[in-house]
Amino acid sequence: MEAVIGLLVMLLGVSHGVETHCDGRQNGAQCYGPLGGTVVLQLMTKASATRRYQWLNKTTVILDVRKNKILSNLIENRSSFTPSDGTFRIDKLSRTDAGEYRLITFDSDGNQLENRTLQLTIQAPVSSVLLDSECLSQGEMKVSCSSQGADSPQYSWTLDDHALTDSELLSANTETNSITLKQHVSGKLVCLVKNKVSRVLKELEKSNCGFIFINCTTLNGTHISQWVFAANNTLCIEPTTAPTTTTATSPAERGLLITAGVLAALVLLLVVGVAVVCSQKKKKKNKPKEEDDQELTYADVKIMQRPGRQMQQRAGPEVEYGEVVFSERPRQAARPAEDECVYAKVRKGR
């Protein structure tokens, strides 16, 4: 807020005449006055009622004061002397007012007590400041600051109320009227133009010239890290919330995505395999069972009469059985069952 008020005061001063103050009580003092403006010179602490003062430009007496009374003033139409504080005010300064002045002090007897010099320099004040900005091909911004009619102007730059650093500048000299800012720099840029009699500020809101910084890896593995013009960017196009940065998946992230895809495919194949096996088992379970065909082999059977035993009845012969062997036959396609029997030779003993 103080900076804004100061700027308004300075601009007001430029419009209606700038005023400067200078302490001329030391011998050889260097004072500056604004062209067309006012200079207030402190010639003494307080005029003495017992002394006489003469203020001269070379050999010409400009001001003659004795016992606090002004005896003569060659430029009284645009100047005034105040004995109570010892100041001499000169208005409407011109180039001819510049030069070396002397102040001679006498005692009441006319003896010279002091003789000291003062150098007055007249400068044209800074009347206006213009800022011109230009966006370069790689997103840098060149800013030029110019003043109208000022003598010996000096330039200084600030960004958001702090001095510019080398990391923000392509050219490190901030005491010139032209600087080049790097792509990432943004904020309130201020150019201050001053000389010995005035100072004026001019502000510019620095932007990124429509450029964005991209940092990504393309599908073919090429890494890109550079500033590009946003409207023509075709290198890395990915949604991002950052206004100046575009990012893409890293190689590590792409590796994780590929691994996840392979695992998902394996799980899918496993599920399909289990489903096929379960389906086959279910079909077998529902199919009618085929009875195994077996081939019967009968052993020889003999019926014999025991000696010495009378046959009381014909029924109830004694039978001797041999071994019966069942042999499995290979399964064949379903067909009407036919019994194949191999019968043993039966002999009846007497």
Side-chain angles (χ1 to χ4, degrees):
M1 185 64 182
E2 292 179 357
V4 175
I5 294 175
L7 176 59
L8 293 176
V9 170
M10 285 298 170
L11 291 176
L12 184 63
V14 170
S15 301
H16 297 85
V18 181
E19 181 177 302
T20 59
H21 295 256
C22 182
D23 189 352
R25 290 174 294 180
Q26 297 294 326
N27 185 36
Q30 176 66 59
C31 297
Y32 294 89
L35 181 64
T38 300
V39 63
V40 179
L41 303 173
Q42 184 82 49
L43 298 180
M44 60 199 74
T45 303
K46 182 180 179 180
S48 174
T50 60
R51 294 183 180 182
R52 181 178 179 179
Y53 304 94
Q54 288 184 337
W55 199 61
L56 303 86
N57 182 358
K58 297 179 180 179
T59 59
T60 303
V61 178
I62 304 297
L63 179 67
D64 189 1
V65 180
R66 179 186 297 176
K67 295 181 180 181
N68 290 340
K69 292 182 179 182
I70 298 174
L71 301 179
S72 65
N73 183 358
L74 292 181
I75 54 174
E76 63 178 345
N77 62 329
R78 60 185 182 94
S79 67
S80 61
F81 178 71
T82 306
S84 60
D85 59 10
T87 59
F88 187 45
R89 179 187 180 94
I90 306 174
D91 300 322
K92 301 178 181 178
L93 291 169
S94 65
R95 300 283 185 183
T96 59
D97 290 324
E100 183 179 84
Y101 292 83
R102 287 186 300 125
L103 180 66
I104 303 175
T105 304
F106 303 91
D107 61 14
S108 57
D109 297 328
N111 299 317
Q112 183 175 311
L113 298 177
E114 188 177 15
N115 186 347
R116 64 176 185 268
T117 62
L118 178 151
Q119 186 70 37
L120 179 61
T121 301
I122 305 300
Q123 283 190 344
V126 180
S127 59
S128 63
V129 174
L130 299 176
L131 277 179
D132 183 33
S133 61
E134 176 187 3
C135 290
L136 303 182
S137 60
Q138 297 301 317
E140 305 92 345
M141 177 179 279
K142 183 179 180 180
V143 186
S144 299
C145 185
S146 60
S147 59
Q148 300 294 325
D151 290 332
S152 305
Q154 297 176 339
Y155 299 88
S156 61
W157 301 82
T158 59
L159 180 70
D160 293 334
D161 300 325
H162 69 78
L164 287 168
T165 62
D166 292 347
S167 63
E168 297 166 328
L169 289 165
L170 285 181
S171 56
N173 186 5
T174 60
E175 296 180 357
T176 62
N177 68 325
S178 180
I179 60 173
T180 303
L181 299 171
K182 294 182 178 179
Q183 299 95 330
H184 70 279
V185 177
S186 62
K188 184 182 70 176
L189 182 67
V190 175
C191 173
L192 169 64
V193 185
K194 66 179 181 178
N195 57 12
K196 297 297 184 180
V197 298
S198 63
R199 52 187 288 151
V200 177
L201 304 173
K202 189 70 174 181
E203 296 181 4
L204 172 70
E205 198 66 29
K206 165 67 172 65
S207 65
N208 58 12
C209 290
F211 278 71
I212 59 173
F213 185 76
I214 59 174
N215 184 15
C216 65
T217 302
T218 61
L219 294 177
N220 61 4
T222 303
H223 183 70
I224 300 176
S225 179
Q226 67 185 60
W227 286 88
V228 297
F229 190 59
N232 299 333
N233 176 35
T234 58
L235 297 175
C236 297
I237 304 177
E238 294 187 8
T240 175
T241 56
T244 58
T245 303
T246 302
T247 58
T249 53
S250 64
E253 291 174 338
R254 293 203 315 275
L256 289 175
L257 291 175
I258 292 172
T259 302
V262 172
L263 291 175
L266 290 176
V267 170
L268 180 61
L269 289 176
L270 180 60
V271 171
V272 172
V274 171
V276 170
V277 172
C278 290
S279 176
Q280 292 296 327
K281 285 186 176 181
K282 186 174 181 181
K283 288 181 179 180
K284 289 183 178 181
K285 186 174 181 181
N286 294 333
K287 186 176 181 180
K289 293 184 179 180
E290 296 180 358
E291 295 182 358
D292 293 339
D293 293 332
Q294 296 180 345
E295 184 177 358
L296 300 179
T297 303
Y298 293 88
D300 290 342
V301 181
K302 297 178 180 180
I303 301 176
M304 301 179 63
Q305 181 85 32
R306 285 188 180 182
R309 189 176 180 182
Q310 295 180 354
M311 293 183 60
Q312 296 181 356
Q313 57 182 8
R314 297 186 64 91
E318 191 172 317
V319 181
E320 181 180 346
Y321 296 91
E323 184 181 16
V324 180
V325 178
F326 296 87
S327 59
E328 294 186 356
R329 303 176 67 184
R331 291 185 178 179
Q332 298 178 354
R335 61 180 180 176
E338 295 181 1
D339 293 335
E340 291 186 12
C341 299
V342 178
Y343 296 92
K345 184 178 180 182
V346 181
R347 289 179 294 176
K348 185 174 180 183
R350 294 184 180 180

